Amino acid sequence: MLSVNRRLVGLAMASAVVLGGAAAVPAAAEGGAAEAQARHCRYSVDNAYIYKRWSELGGSDGFLGCPRTGTKNVTVNGVWRGQRQYFENGNITRSYYQGRRMVIAAWERDGHAFFNWGTTSPRYYDTFVVRYTSPAETQGRERQVGRGTSGGMWVKKRTTGDYTFRVKGCYKSAQGLRCPLGWTLTATTRN
């Protein structure tokens, strides 16, 4: 069994791959059926953007594990806003309104809740504001994290319940932060 430090180093390396955006979308995902990596899973990952993030995070043997559902459409007030798929250890959401390729992922491992996002390209932000809630922090917390077109963070879990994350890209000005596209959809860890 790997030590916590080695696991976190592995996570950091996986996040670097995910956030670097250098990996290509597998041909199977482009064709609409990403069964190659999910052969021993009940469900497949058929959305190319969700498949790419899941694959970069280790696929069925990685941080999220096997899919628990198929891809589901996400609507807000009756308007389509993206897609979401639930996995054994979290979920991945494509938040289309913040960018055609914007995907957010949340999962938990070893007493921590992890969250990453990207890409907002071609938009480059001065900072990202991440908001998360949990049963231990029902009012939620916000953090400013990094800059650029993608990012990630983790928090030590203070409860056995789920953590729900969202992010928005912002520009800094003398008047404060300006976040033109607002919050993404949410991504949630799973107990």
Side-chain angles (χ1 to χ4, degrees):
M1 180 174 248
L2 294 174
S3 70
V4 171
N5 287 340
R6 286 184 65 195
R7 287 182 194 155
L8 292 176
V9 167
L11 172 66
M13 291 171 53
S15 292
V17 169
V18 169
L19 300 175
V25 176
E30 290 174 348
E35 309 226 10
Q37 199 167 9
R39 285 181 208 180
H40 65 281
C41 298
R42 181 176 176 195
Y43 294 94
S44 64
V45 183
D46 58 4
N47 177 283
Y49 297 98
I50 292 174
Y51 180 86
K52 181 177 184 231
R53 180 65 53 87
W54 177 66
S55 190
E56 291 166 342
L57 290 169
S60 59
D61 296 323
F63 296 111
L64 290 160
C66 280
R68 292 187 301 120
T69 67
T71 304
K72 300 180 179 300
N73 286 323
V74 179
T75 59
V76 177
N77 298 323
V79 177
W80 181 86
R81 292 291 186 196
Q83 299 96 17
R84 177 176 293 132
Q85 189 158 5
Y86 296 90
F87 297 84
E88 293 170 328
N89 300 315
N91 70 54
I92 300 176
T93 303
R94 180 176 176 218
S95 192
Y96 189 83
Y97 186 71
Q98 282 74 21
R100 185 174 58 84
R101 295 178 291 155
M102 180 59 142
V103 176
I104 58 176
W107 67 96
E108 58 185 60
R109 179 168 276 199
D110 300 324
H112 295 85
F114 297 90
F115 177 61
N116 69 25
W117 63 91
T119 177
T120 61
S121 182
R123 293 177 190 89
Y124 182 97
Y125 291 106
D126 297 329
T127 190
F128 291 98
V129 178
V130 175
R131 179 171 181 73
Y132 64 93
T133 60
S134 74
E137 297 163 310
T138 56
Q139 298 302 309
R141 289 191 176 220
E142 287 187 7
R143 281 192 196 168
Q144 284 190 35
V145 180
R147 65 176 182 224
T149 61
S150 59
M153 64 171 280
W154 58 271
V155 296
K156 183 161 180 54
K157 289 188 67 174
R158 296 179 38 209
T159 178
T160 57
D162 292 345
Y163 277 63
T164 300
F165 294 90
R166 61 180 55 200
V167 63
K168 62 183 174 181
C170 303
Y171 301 105
K172 293 180 180 178
S173 71
Q175 292 78 32
L177 294 180
R178 185 175 59 85
C179 313
L181 297 181
W183 295 106
T184 61
L185 296 171
T186 60
T188 304
T189 65
R190 176 183 156 90
N191 298 341

